[in-house]
Amino acid sequence: MARAGLTADRLTQAGAELADEVGFDNVTLSALARLFDVKVASLYSHVTNSHDLKTRIALLALQELADRAADAVAGRAGKDALVALGNVYRDYAREHPGRYAAMHFRLDRETAIASAGVRHSAMTRAILRGYDLAEPDQTHAVRLLGSVFHGFATLELEGGFGNSSPDSQESWTRTLDALDALLRAWPAPD
Amino acid sequence: MARAGLTADRLTQAGAELADEVGFDNVTLSALARLFDVKVASLYSHVTNSHDLKTRIALLALQELADRAADAVAGRAGKDALVALGNVYRDYAREHPGRYAAMHFRLDRETAIASAGVRHSAMTRAILRGYDLAEPDQTHAVRLLGSVFHGFATLELEGGFGNSSPDSQESWTRTLDALDALLRAWPAPD
DNA sequence: CGAAGCTACCTAAATACATTAGGTAAAACT
DNA sequence: AGTTTTACCTAATGTATTTAGGTAGCTTCG
């Protein structure tokens, strides 16, 4: 009986790939066991349970995306940085829909705080340095950008925009234009 | 043996309430059967399977929210209408998180086309009549508004904004202000 | 190099949900 | 009242999760 050589990391990685193929909700320990040609119970030596596996996939995705984002915004500022960051989010969601969904798996507070999730808001805040926003407006803008990026990616993925004209790429470009214009002329409260 | 008096509608309604309590993903036929003190197999006389039940809950939510939205925007225009529509979405997500999640259950194309989902985009388009946007910009704006509403509601629900200052109500108000300003001064493409 | 210990993987069993096939009794209709 | 319809049932199968306890392969150290 040769061993399969499983580790938590290999399971997480395989789980992430599986998520992209069949959807995050359909990532099961059973499916992973089949993949590695191993009995299900054996996986419990590596992850504590199904929830643990999903948490690990979520953390993987958060980190992967944070890395990409950091890379994309490095050396850019203003609209250039905004577009780069937005594209990283949208492209990741399209290339890795399962991992993207995994990122919104509910983490307990400690795990969330220790996760790469914090880097995401930090980076969004960073690109706002190219615009002239003082607190608390900066925080409002961070939340708005997060909402648009996440909302657009989600709706586009689930086909909420239809597949008719104008195509969603066009809408995305114009959305980024609009956000840039908005941030340059951020309105005072009414 | 007195009968429970089940119908597809009663199951759907109970399923929607259950979704709000335990989350849409945790709505199971088993749980519903327990609720009505009936054997699980009995439910298959009323819904064809679990997927069917979830579809029905999704349709219920879409319709319920479309009704509320229609009510809210009636007799309003411009920013007034924008704020009303935005609030309907956000409030529904907070009051009925399970149903809100249900709305994004993937429907097959026919079902989606026959659903109240189409009323949603129609209403968003309607409030844009208060702003001066010609096609295809109007479609881009519809998609942007959808993204912001959905993204904000989702992130707020899952605690993505933290519970620190400034509170999310404040960000929401400012987001609506920002959208209004943006729509009034919609930028031309670069 | 061989014994000791660690651990990766196993079998077995309990629990839960989804689904189908085929039966019985309550309601509805004539 | 008799017949049809149907709401609900029992029984059985398949799949996923999880725990308890065992065995064989790898590592380590005398």
Side-chain angles (χ1 to χ4, degrees), chain B:
Chain B
M1 285 173 184
R3 295 191 181 189
L6 298 185
T7 64
D9 281 351
R10 288 193 63 196
L11 286 176
T12 306
Q13 188 64 41
E17 281 157 29
L18 186 59
D20 288 336
E21 286 165 33
V22 304
F24 184 62
D25 290 343
N26 298 316
V27 172
T28 66
L29 290 177
S30 301
L32 274 188
R34 274 191 296 276
L35 212 66
F36 285 105
D37 200 32
V38 143
K39 298 297 169 183
V40 194
S42 307
L43 303 186
Y44 286 83
S45 305
H46 305 285
V47 294
T48 73
N49 53 32
S50 184
H51 185 276
D52 178 36
L53 173 69
K54 292 192 169 184
T55 299
R56 287 169 188 268
I57 298 175
L59 293 175
L60 170 74
L62 282 169
Q63 184 162 356
E64 215 170 72
L65 182 50
D67 289 345
R68 286 195 188 198
D71 225 53
V73 302
R76 296 183 204 272
K79 183 173 181 183
D80 228 35
L82 175 72
V83 169
L85 185 65
N87 279 328
V88 164
Y89 272 81
R90 176 169 177 252
D91 291 346
Y92 191 74
R94 291 165 18 131
E95 283 170 37
H96 298 295
R99 299 175 205 212
Y100 188 81
M103 287 200 309
H104 293 89
F105 183 68
R106 193 159 198 86
L107 303 175
D108 44 279
R109 216 190 313 284
E110 308 168 51
T111 313
I113 290 172
S115 79
V118 300
R119 288 171 62 202
H120 290 265
S121 50
M123 264 180 304
T124 308
R125 204 169 283 274
I127 72 170
L128 288 179
R129 277 200 279 273
Y131 300 91
D132 195 29
L133 290 177
E135 284 297 357
D137 284 333
Q138 205 173 85
T139 299
H140 300 320
V142 167
R143 292 172 175 176
L144 172 57
L145 287 183
S147 298
V148 175
F149 291 168
H150 176 51
F152 197 100
T154 305
L155 294 180
E156 187 178 28
L157 264 188
E158 68 187 31
F161 294 154
N163 36 14
S164 52
S165 68
D167 72 36
S168 59
Q169 173 58 49
E170 182 67 22
S171 291
W172 175 243
T173 306
R174 300 302 306 282
T175 290
L176 292 172
D177 291 347
L179 288 176
D180 174 61
L182 178 60
L183 292 172
R184 277 190 281 107
W186 185 261
D190 280 0

Side-chain angles (χ1 to χ4, degrees), chain A residues 7-8 31-32 37 39 45 58 66 69 77 96-97 118 132-133 150 164 171 187:
Chain A
T7 63
L32 273 188
D37 200 33
K39 298 296 169 184
S45 305
H96 298 295
V118 300
D132 195 29
L133 290 177
H150 175 52
S164 51
S171 290

Side-chain angles (χ1 to χ4, degrees), chain A residues 29-114:
Chain A
L29 290 178
S30 300
L32 273 188
R34 274 193 294 277
L35 212 67
F36 285 104
D37 200 33
V38 143
K39 298 296 169 184
V40 195
S42 306
L43 303 185
Y44 286 82
S45 305
H46 305 285
V47 294
T48 73
N49 53 33
S50 184
H51 184 276
D52 179 36
L53 173 70
K54 292 192 168 183
T55 299
R56 287 169 187 268
I57 298 174
L59 293 175
L60 170 75
L62 283 169
Q63 184 163 356
E64 216 170 70
L65 182 50
D67 288 346
R68 287 196 189 196
D71 225 52
V73 302
R76 296 184 204 271
K79 183 174 181 183
D80 227 36
L82 175 72
V83 169
L85 185 65
N87 279 329
V88 165
Y89 271 81
R90 176 168 177 253
D91 291 345
Y92 191 75
R94 290 161 24 129
E95 284 170 38
H96 298 295
R99 300 176 205 212
Y100 188 81
M103 289 201 308
H104 293 89
F105 183 68
R106 195 161 198 82
L107 303 174
D108 44 279
R109 215 189 315 285
E110 307 168 52
T111 312
I113 291 172

